[in-house]
Amino acid sequence: MITPAKLNTYVPELQVAIELAREAGAAILQLYEGPLKVEQKNYDDDVEPVTQADRIANELIVGRLAQEFPDDGILAEESVDTARRLGKARVWMVDPLDGTNGFIDGNGDFAVQIGLVENGDCVVGVVYQPLTGVLYRAVLGEGSWIERPEFPSERAHVSDQRNLASMRLAASRSHRSPRMNKVVRRLGFEEEVQRGSVGIKVGLLVERQCDVYIHLSPRTKQWDTCAPQLILTEAGGQLSDLFGRPLKYNVQDVQNRNGLVASNGVSHDLIIEMLAPLLAEFGRKSV
């Protein structure tokens, strides 16, 4: 665990992460109008699209991190994962283009995500939306902040909404499964905002546009959630798996196989409690 004495020591890491997120975002935007070369990559039992923008941004970020922090490990979506990082206390978690489908579709829902984990704890997080220029940043123990072009930085705080029927759900743009429809009906959510990218949906929570985000799929990975998790928790929210257990970072299996629940914190235990019988009905067990 990170002790209080370790706080306020991540200034260079945050500065580099912000610079890299913006640089990678600029490189991505140069390719936004196309033409794009879209390939399919296989990961475990999943197939995902990848473009030259993903790879260019990945190379830019990973190369600079390795130069600036040579003793740290790196886990990046478009880099080959090795066992080297498992022996490192500090590991960078990089999603160079979270929301590749949104980038391909041209709907604006994509972000650059850079997080740093120390001894399993998320300690630095940056999520940058290249199209709007909005950037979320957080350092453990120092709060979560929103930066917008031509505006001063703003401290982020989640909502205090406890009534599920009055809560707004951050939902994925992609096809909704029958199981997710059942979750929405059973928990009583009446409003939702559909967006792509984990980081963007968590951004809706820290900007109080939404109150909860539930992801049933086991296919998100450590680089999808590291930076967004810290940004959410430093804004007063909470992120766990579907069973209410903490996510694990810098472990061998990079997938978050138990899904995700992100909330404003005050409603988290109730959401987990109400999800439990549905998960049993779906045959989902913690792995």
Side-chain angles (χ1 to χ4, degrees):
M1 296 293 291
I2 305 299
T3 63
K6 296 282 289 192
L7 299 182
N8 304 309
T9 61
Y10 299 103
V11 173
E13 289 86 349
L14 178 64
Q15 180 178 353
V16 169
I18 290 173
E19 290 175 2
L20 283 175
R22 295 189 186 279
E23 289 175 17
I28 288 167
L29 286 183
Q30 290 182 0
L31 298 165
Y32 189 48
E33 300 298 329
L36 290 176
K37 181 181 179 182
V38 181
E39 302 174 17
Q40 301 297 319
K41 61 180 180 179
N42 294 295
Y43 192 93
D44 200 6
D45 60 347
D46 199 12
V47 179
E48 299 176 346
V50 60
T51 72
Q52 67 268 46
D54 296 77
R55 295 193 170 111
I56 289 170
N58 193 88
E59 183 177 351
L60 187 158
I61 296 168
V62 170
R64 174 84 181 278
L65 287 177
Q67 177 183 349
E68 295 283 347
F69 309 104
D71 294 331
D72 293 352
I74 300 175
L75 175 65
E77 181 169 12
E78 307 306 334
S79 297
V80 176
D81 186 24
T82 70
R84 176 182 180 273
R85 66 177 172 84
L86 297 176
K88 298 289 185 177
R90 295 185 9 146
V91 180
W92 292 90
M93 306 273 165
V94 178
D95 192 339
L97 206 172
D98 185 46
T100 299
N101 282 318
F103 178 74
I104 295 169
D105 294 343
N107 63 29
D109 279 1
F110 55 91
V112 180
Q113 303 188 167
I114 304 173
L116 175 63
V117 168
E118 184 167 359
N119 297 321
D121 293 314
C122 306
V123 295
V124 174
V126 172
V127 172
Y128 177 60
Q129 300 180 49
L131 205 59
T132 62
V134 173
L135 182 143
Y136 307 115
R137 59 175 170 85
V139 171
L140 182 66
E142 297 180 19
S144 185
W145 298 83
I146 306 168
E147 296 186 6
R148 308 178 198 277
E150 301 178 7
F151 286 90
S153 298
E154 174 189 352
R155 185 76 178 258
H157 297 283
V158 295
S159 75
D160 58 2
Q161 182 61 254
R162 297 172 183 268
N163 179 16
L164 296 186
S166 300
M167 295 175 71
R168 184 175 290 146
L169 176 71
S172 297
R173 281 188 187 270
S174 56
H175 176 69
R176 171 95 110 234
S177 70
R179 288 183 174 182
M180 191 62 200
N181 285 332
K182 184 171 284 190
V183 167
V184 171
R185 289 194 302 269
R186 192 75 60 86
L187 271 65
F189 300 127
E190 297 179 359
E191 293 186 65
E192 64 180 68
V193 178
Q194 295 185 351
R195 299 293 300 273
S197 164
V198 173
I200 289 178
K201 287 191 282 286
V202 166
L204 293 174
L205 270 66
V206 303
E207 295 200 48
R208 293 195 246 189
Q209 296 180 33
C210 290
D211 311 284
V212 60
Y213 164 46
I214 299 171
H215 190 84
L216 296 178
S217 168
R219 293 193 173 111
T220 67
K221 301 172 180 69
Q222 293 176 48
W223 52 70
D224 291 309
T225 54
C226 177
Q229 176 172 339
L230 184 65
I231 289 163
L232 178 63
T233 56
E234 285 295 315
Q238 190 170 344
L239 192 148
S240 73
D241 71 14
L242 295 167
F243 302 90
R245 296 168 184 165
L247 302 187
K248 296 179 180 179
Y249 290 99
N250 198 31
V251 292
Q252 186 169 0
D253 186 359
V254 302
Q255 291 193 219
N256 300 312
R257 296 187 183 275
N258 289 329
L260 306 173
V261 176
S263 79
N264 60 7
V266 294
S267 63
H268 203 86
D269 289 345
L270 176 59
I271 292 168
I272 295 298
E273 179 183 342
M274 294 190 70
L275 277 176
L278 284 166
L279 296 175
E281 182 181 327
F282 299 157
R284 289 288 293 269
K285 296 180 180 179
S286 179
V287 294

